Amino acid sequence: MIRILTLATSAIALAGCATADAGSVVGTTTPAASDEKPAPDTMRWLYGSGEAAGASIQTWRQIADYAIAISRQRKVPQSVPLGLPAVDGGIGTPSCIKADGTTKPFAAVFDVDETVLLNTGYEYWQALTGKPFDADEWKQWADNGAGIAQPVPGAVTGLRRLREAGIAVIFNTNRNSDTAAGTIAALEAAGAGPAVHLESLFLRGDDDMGGRKDGRRATIAESHCVIAMAGDNLGDFADVFNADESAIAARRAMVARGEYAQLWGNGWFLMPNPVYGAWQHGNVGEVFPPEARWKPSPSDAPLTMGQQ
Amino acid sequence: MIRILTLATSAIALAGCATADAGSVVGTTTPAASDEKPAPDTMRWLYGSGEAAGASIQTWRQIADYAIAISRQRKVPQSVPLGLPAVDGGIGTPSCIKADGTTKPFAAVFDVDETVLLNTGYEYWQALTGKPFDADEWKQWADNGAGIAQPVPGAVTGLRRLREAGIAVIFNTNRNSDTAAGTIAALEAAGAGPAVHLESLFLRGDDDMGGRKDGRRATIAESHCVIAMAGDNLGDFADVFNADESAIAARRAMVARGEYAQLWGNGWFLMPNPVYGAWQHGNVGEVFPPEARWKPSPSDAPLTMGQQ
């Protein structure tokens, strides 16, 4: 996902512990000095760690293994749930059979940012300056980041394997539709292309549903049998998850039970991204469920209460 | 992993933006008020988000699917690399054949903290107080956290599937060996047990290699054919990755190329944990590689340089 929908919370997080100094960032900041600032832990993990690289490679392997195996099954193909309501309630699964009785071609649908491309360039600028999210700067990055934006580790190999198996690769991103040319260029420069707007690339603004992706998923499912989806945000799978972003515990519980729990690693694939997202809010009391809280015993502590 | 080896950096990160007030945390802090503090983004993601729950469930499914498929192959089994040097260089793969020619029983080897158990209890205490890591408090948690420590989403199902397929589940953790009883109780209360010290549970202090796990892996491989390993830190797979923790870019590059890249999702499985770890250091200049940096163009910015 990108952060368009979560401006306020992203700004808080990306500013981190640094004091934003927005008035001096262009022209007067000395990058050499600012490079010495501690990086936020979220960015250290996602952009700097071997752990995140291993996690990404393993998930891209899982996606390709899964989708290729499904594409080779002899039984009538079935779409993964795409976030659309089912006639009988629950989550809907569009038909993979055309009106003429033939089968739609297979597709795998991917978010772009922090799923296929790492926005290291833009995030570097935020880490360097401590500036909050800036829509104009983000648009510059989306338009001009080609060649700087790196692929998520494992994505290039995973996408190549899918295409070689005859599975169409379709991108469904919340980058704005006026950045289509820059986004296509960035995907191709990173080795993740090709992408063609409104054929294999769908963006925010392609319909009137804003950042909600269910409508674009329905459009894709008209022409394709979607056998796998991947993204870093729950909205990349079904809009229902983000219908009430304030419901932290309920949102987490929803994905981990019932029919949704059966989909993770089984048609739906989550790329880890702790840098930004719809989850990025909540205080200590909201994030930690009451039954999982703990305190050390004062009597076992090295200092007694009286000594403090 | 646990944070024993990374005291200094963990303390910085866990303190976050809060001012540590270590002198007043026991007895005088009002938890109701402190619960209103913003939670760190790392904890919001790992402990509070549906995204992390989905990622964990998918990786536990991947582990069980992979290991069960390997255990059913008819060919002579082969261990995954365990971090031991190979005779001809590279990474070694212990034999799965006993001296008498029979095959060793299959095993899957798991780290404990943030791989099988979520330390929500202890991390709540740190988020609440802003205190840095405290070894005495951590020992209390390791001894007494049973029933509060929650399983990582997907772990209970994954471990059950492995055991039902006849694959031994063995834990290799850097909790100290004097917490064995508490760790066993916590695993069992979370539905992840059973565990027996020095049979299916190995801890820091069981040998003289400190937090390095290669020796414990070699011990496990004497009696078992290890077909899968999972952890949240690169040290859960091979000590070589953490030999020079300061080498941020080199450490990330090492896991993503050559023989190591082939192992992620293919015998080695990484559980995402952005809250703490050996990766938790580095300034902006160290975390963002030079070729991936970007700045907005001043001429395209809404304010010109002169206006600032």
Side-chain angles (χ1 to χ4, degrees):
Chain A
M1 71 169 292
I2 58 169
R3 74 192 75 248
I4 300 294
L5 289 177
T6 55
L7 271 177
T9 52
S10 292
I12 293 166
L14 286 155
C17 302
T19 302
D21 188 7
S24 67
V25 289
V26 178
T28 58
T29 300
T30 305
S34 300
D35 278 352
E36 303 297 318
K37 289 167 56 176
D41 275 347
T42 54
M43 296 187 190
R44 286 170 170 167
W45 190 82
L46 186 62
Y47 301 125
S49 82
E51 283 80 358
S56 297
I57 292 169
Q58 109 195 337
T59 301
W60 272 102
R61 185 188 310 281
Q62 188 179 24
I63 293 166
D65 286 351
Y66 173 88
I68 291 168
I70 293 287
S71 74
R72 290 177 179 162
Q73 288 178 355
R74 292 190 184 179
K75 65 182 182 183
V76 176
Q78 190 174 18
S79 165
V80 294
L82 303 179
L84 313 177
V87 174
D88 57 353
I91 46 179
T93 301
S95 172
C96 285
I97 310 297
K98 297 183 195 173
D100 65 6
T102 61
T103 302
K104 297 175 187 174
F106 290 120
V109 174
F110 297 95
D111 178 45
V112 171
D113 294 304
E114 274 57 48
T115 299
V116 173
L117 297 181
L118 290 180
N119 289 299
T120 33
Y122 182 76
E123 300 295 340
Y124 167 75
W125 174 243
Q126 295 221 306
L128 186 73
T129 61
K131 284 187 70 174
F133 177 74
D134 179 307
D136 292 312
E137 291 177 352
W138 172 261
K139 176 164 166 45
Q140 275 195 53
W141 165 250
D143 283 340
N144 303 321
I148 303 173
Q150 307 289 309
V152 169
V156 172
T157 300
L159 293 173
R160 178 179 52 71
R161 289 181 60 204
L162 292 170
R163 288 179 171 124
E164 286 177 358
I167 300 165
V169 170
I170 299 179
F171 302 103
N172 186 6
T173 171
N174 274 344
R175 290 188 179 200
N176 282 325
S177 55
D178 63 359
T179 70
T183 298
I184 289 168
L187 286 166
E188 296 194 344
V196 178
H197 189 194
L198 297 175
E199 293 182 14
S200 55
L201 172 65
F202 295 83
L203 301 105
R204 179 190 175 96
D206 287 347
D207 64 20
D208 59 2
M209 292 181 67
R212 300 194 305 283
K213 292 183 170 182
D214 279 353
R216 282 175 261 157
R217 282 187 280 266
T219 299
I220 294 165
E222 289 173 9
S223 57
H224 286 83
C225 178
V226 180
I227 56 176
M229 294 203 298
D232 63 320
N233 186 279
L234 296 182
D236 295 323
F237 305 94
D239 290 342
V240 66
F241 293 124
N242 289 343
D244 179 9
E245 292 186 1
S246 68
I248 294 176
R251 187 172 178 271
R252 180 168 168 102
M254 182 161 46
V255 309
R257 70 178 172 227
E259 56 188 345
Y260 294 127
Q262 298 307 314
L263 287 165
W264 302 113
N266 194 26
W268 287 5
F269 300 88
L270 197 300
M271 307 303 299
N273 174 13
V275 175
Y276 61 87
W279 51 267
Q280 194 177 32
H281 61 109
N283 60 33
V284 170
E286 292 165 329
V287 166
F288 290 88
E291 69 276 14
R293 299 177 191 173
W294 174 87
K295 293 182 183 183
S297 163
S299 60
D300 291 342
L303 298 178
T304 67
M305 286 176 66
Q307 289 176 298
Q308 295 181 56
Chain B
M1 72 169 294
I2 59 170
R3 74 193 75 250
I4 301 293
L5 289 176
T6 55
L7 271 178
T9 51
S10 292
I12 293 167
L14 285 157
C17 302
T19 303
D21 188 10
S24 67
V25 290
V26 178
T28 57
T29 299
T30 304
S34 301
D35 277 354
E36 303 298 319
K37 290 165 56 176
D41 275 347
T42 54
M43 296 187 189
R44 286 170 170 167
W45 190 82
L46 186 62
Y47 302 125
S49 81
E51 281 81 357
S56 297
I57 291 169
Q58 107 194 339
T59 301
W60 272 102
R61 184 189 309 282
Q62 188 179 23
I63 293 166
D65 285 350
Y66 174 88
I68 292 169
I70 292 288
S71 74
R72 291 178 179 163
Q73 288 179 354
R74 293 191 183 177
K75 65 182 182 183
V76 177
Q78 190 174 18
S79 164
V80 294
L82 301 180
L84 312 177
V87 175
D88 57 352
I91 46 178
T93 301
S95 172
C96 285
I97 310 296
K98 296 183 195 172
D100 65 6
T102 61
T103 302
K104 298 174 186 174
F106 290 120
V109 175
F110 298 95
D111 178 46
V112 172
D113 294 304
E114 272 57 48
T115 299
V116 173
L117 296 181
L118 290 180
N119 289 299
T120 33
Y122 182 76
E123 300 294 340
Y124 166 75
W125 175 243
Q126 295 221 304
L128 187 72
T129 61
K131 284 187 71 174
F133 177 74
D134 178 308
D136 291 313
E137 290 177 353
W138 172 260
K139 175 163 165 46
Q140 276 196 53
W141 166 249
D143 283 340
N144 304 319
I148 304 173
Q150 306 290 309
V152 168
V156 172
T157 300
L159 293 173
R160 178 179 51 72
R161 289 181 60 204
L162 292 170
R163 289 180 171 123
E164 287 177 357
I167 300 164
V169 169
I170 299 180
F171 302 103
N172 185 8
T173 171
N174 274 343
R175 290 187 178 201
N176 282 325
S177 55
D178 64 359
T179 70
T183 298
I184 289 168
L187 286 166
E188 296 194 345
V196 178
H197 189 195
L198 297 176
E199 294 181 15
S200 54
L201 173 65
F202 294 83
L203 302 104
R204 178 190 176 96
D206 287 347
D207 64 19
D208 60 1
M209 292 181 67
R212 300 193 305 283
K213 292 184 170 181
D214 280 354
R216 282 175 261 156
R217 281 186 281 264
T219 299
I220 294 165
E222 288 173 9
S223 58
H224 286 81
C225 178
V226 180
I227 56 175
M229 293 202 301
D232 63 321
N233 185 278
L234 296 181
D236 294 323
F237 305 94
D239 290 342
V240 65
F241 293 124
N242 289 343
D244 180 8
E245 292 187 2
S246 67
I248 294 174
R251 187 173 178 270
R252 181 168 168 101
M254 182 163 39
V255 309
R257 69 178 171 228
E259 57 188 343
Y260 295 126
Q262 299 306 314
L263 287 164
W264 302 112
N266 193 27
W268 287 6
F269 301 87
L270 197 300
M271 307 302 300
N273 174 13
V275 175
Y276 61 87
W279 50 268
Q280 196 176 31
H281 60 110
N283 59 33
V284 170
E286 292 164 329
V287 167
F288 290 88
E291 68 275 15
R293 298 177 191 173
W294 174 86
K295 293 182 183 182
S297 163
S299 60
D300 291 341
L303 298 177
T304 68
M305 287 176 64
Q307 288 176 299
Q308 297 182 55

